[in-house]
């Protein structure tokens, strides 16, 4: 009998050896989790436990740094990029996406094969074979196009012709496999996911006849939270830089709440927004995600927002009814008689409130509130400039005094910029914001002009259309003639003044007695002769003839 017991023990030991020698999923997919980690999480729908066996012949496993990675793909290494739309509100759906990046000049064609790009040349010249991997013959020869293969945990899955990669997702002590091309997407419901940061790991295999070869591994952190992910954008007219959370007094600020809900989990929920702007204006409750608020004092204020949404959730756990104190102490209570209060009876459509929070500290300062062009005037020049007419713009503003003025002159549609000019503003304006801006335009036509006044915190804008009239050739000729007449009259006037001054201060000396005067006075004689031509008349009126000897 003792020998029989020994023989049975030997059989049991022999039967156990293959089980002990077989690798399990958690042994090959992750070595960072402690034993029993998968039991800390509830089952994900459609996912398998890490306690299942792993078929290493079908899906070999290589550690990081293994030399076989260098030869896992022709032409270089394949990179896998893993992204998700986390953070995710518990109960919503989170989606993971994996995209493969092939080595240079490689791409996937419509049939799922990997081919070289057009005009690809290697070290020896153009490649005679356009394929990096042509999986179509493997599919037809092996019968994978219509049949099935056993997965690494014993479940059969199909092999359509275009699915040449296997993606093995691993998280929370569970794994899921998906067939696909160079990109796949996997979604999971987070109702059974533990709150907090979690790790998703993905191993990618390529098909190699009747087995697979690992080509890439990647992992990423995702977050599941019980608070609604909330973001708030703040904008304000004339604010120079909203990103520094500095805004202008006496102008409304637009607050726009963005709820991160890519799976539309909250699409049917009633959402309320509770605002406290920190300026003693009270609490504002709204069901609109956009709200305007104006601060009327300078300073620093604390903004607080609470978002509330009613979502599907777990029903409250049943609680026992308090014992009946009027019953006899000797009366037996039936086992399991834990009646529920009517208000606590679970309902299959139970709901709970979820909340999201946003806080910010904002600064309110003075700024330019408004700018207006109140007058436009053509500049009259002594010498006309038909090609670059000048225009004066009289501008006033409200709020603080600007430190710079900029103009952008464009075509009538305000799309094509022709000229941009910026000038500092004179600080002697005092308390009144009133200034004149002069700008030159490139000939006749219609122009769009944007004018901005700015300081350190604000930038106010106004626009106007400017029409520069054209001038016909006759008007230009008349203008040129008028200019010549004006110049001639000025020359005559200056000549007359010179003669009068000369007559008063210059003493006459006879010409025959002073030869030096003749030379020096030659130019003067020419000048006087020209003057006589301009003023024809009796030559005897010339004062220089009065003392000439020999003339009566």
């Amino acid at each position: 009998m003792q020998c029989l017991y020994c023989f049975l023990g030997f059989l049991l030991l022999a039967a156990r050896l293959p089980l002990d020698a077989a690798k399990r999923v958690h042994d090959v997919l992750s070595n960072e989790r402690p034993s029993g980690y998968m039991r800390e999480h509830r089952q994900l729908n459609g996912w398998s436990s890490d306690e299942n066996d792993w078929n290493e012949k079908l899906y070999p496993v290589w550690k990081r740094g293994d030399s076989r990675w260098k030869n896992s793909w022709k032409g270089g290494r394949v990179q896998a990029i893993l992204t998700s739309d986390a953070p995710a509100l518990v109960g919503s759906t989170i989606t993971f996406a994996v995209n493969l990046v092939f080595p240079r000049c490689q791409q996937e064609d419509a049939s799922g094969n990997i081919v070289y790009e057009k005009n690809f040349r290697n070290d020896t010249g153009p490649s005679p074979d356009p394929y990096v991997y042509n999986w179509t013959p493997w599919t037809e020869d092996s019968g994978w196009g219509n049949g099935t293969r056993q997965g690494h945990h014993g479940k059969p899955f199909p092999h359509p012709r275009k699915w040449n990669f296997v993606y093995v997702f691993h998280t929370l002590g569970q794994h899921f496999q998906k067939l696909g091309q160079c990109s796949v997407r996997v979604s999971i419901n987070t109702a059974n996911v533990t709150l907090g940061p979690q790790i998703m790991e993905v191993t990618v295999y390529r098909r190699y006849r009747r087995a697979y070869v690992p080509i890439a591994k990647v992992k990423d952190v995702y977050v599941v939270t019980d608070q609604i992910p909330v973001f708030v954008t703040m904008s304000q007219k004339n604010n120079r830089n909203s990103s520094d959370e500095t805004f202008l007094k006496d102008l409304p600020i637009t607050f726009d709440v963005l709820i991160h809900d890519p799976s539309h989990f909250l699409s049917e929920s009633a959402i309320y927004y509770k605002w406290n702007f920190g300026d003693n204006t009270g609490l504002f409750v709204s069901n609109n995600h956009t709200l305007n608020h104006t601060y009327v004092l300078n300073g620093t204020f604390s903004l607080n927002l609470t978002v509330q949404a009613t979502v599907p959730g777990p029903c409250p756990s049943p609680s026992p009814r308090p014992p009946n104190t009027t019953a006899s102490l000797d009366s037996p209570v039936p086992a399991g008689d834990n009646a529920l209060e009517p208000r606590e009876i679970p309902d299959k459509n139970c709901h709970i409130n979820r909340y999201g929070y946003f806080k910010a500290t904002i600064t309110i300062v003075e700024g330019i509130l408004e700018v207006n062009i109140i007058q436009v005037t053509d500049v009259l020049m002594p010498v006309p400039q038909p090609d670059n007419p000048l225009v004066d713009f009289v501008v006033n503003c409200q709020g603080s005094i600007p430190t710079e003025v900029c103009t952008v002159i464009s075509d009538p549609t305000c799309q094509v910029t022709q000229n941009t000019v910026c000038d500092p503003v004179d600080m002697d304006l005092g308390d009144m914001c009133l200034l004149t801006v002069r700008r030159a335009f490139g000939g006749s036509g219609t122009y769009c002009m944007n004018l901005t006044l700015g300081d350190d915190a604000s930038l106010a804008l106004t626009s106007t259309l400017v029409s520069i009239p054209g001038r016909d050739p006759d008007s230009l000729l008349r203008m040129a003639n008028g200019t010549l007449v004006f110049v001639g009259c000025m020359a005559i006037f200056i000549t007359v003044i010179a003669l009068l001054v000369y007559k008063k201060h210059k003493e006459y000396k006879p010409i025959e007695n002073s030869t030096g005067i003749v030379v020096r006075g030659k130019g003067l004689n020419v000048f006087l002769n020209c003057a006589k031509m301009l003023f024809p008349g009796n030559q005897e009126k010339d004062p220089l003839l009065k003392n000439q000897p020999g003339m009566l």
Side-chain angles (χ1 to χ4, degrees), residues 78-83 96-102 108 112 114 162-167 169 178-186 202 204 215:
V78 175
Q79 182 183 4
I81 299 177
L82 172 63
T83 58
F96 299 89
V98 182
N99 293 278
L100 299 182
V101 179
F102 300 113
E108 187 177 55
I114 309 302
K162 294 184 180 181
W163 292 355
N164 301 307
F165 299 100
V166 174
Y167 299 80
F169 292 80
K178 186 176 182 65
L179 303 175
Q181 293 185 261
C182 62
S183 63
V184 296
R185 298 167 65 91
V186 169
V202 181
V204 186
I215 60 172

Side-chain angles (χ1 to χ4, degrees), residues 227-247:
Q227 294 186 3
I228 301 174
V230 174
F231 307 90
V232 177
T233 61
M234 296 174 280
S235 60
Q236 184 185 45
K237 178 185 176 182
N238 296 353
N239 189 11
R240 193 164 196 135
N241 183 15
S242 298
S243 61
D244 61 359
E245 297 185 347
T246 298
F247 298 91

Side-chain angles (χ1 to χ4, degrees), residues 83-97:
T83 58
S84 72
D85 54 13
L89 180 64
V90 62
S92 67
T93 299
I94 184 172
T95 299
F96 299 89

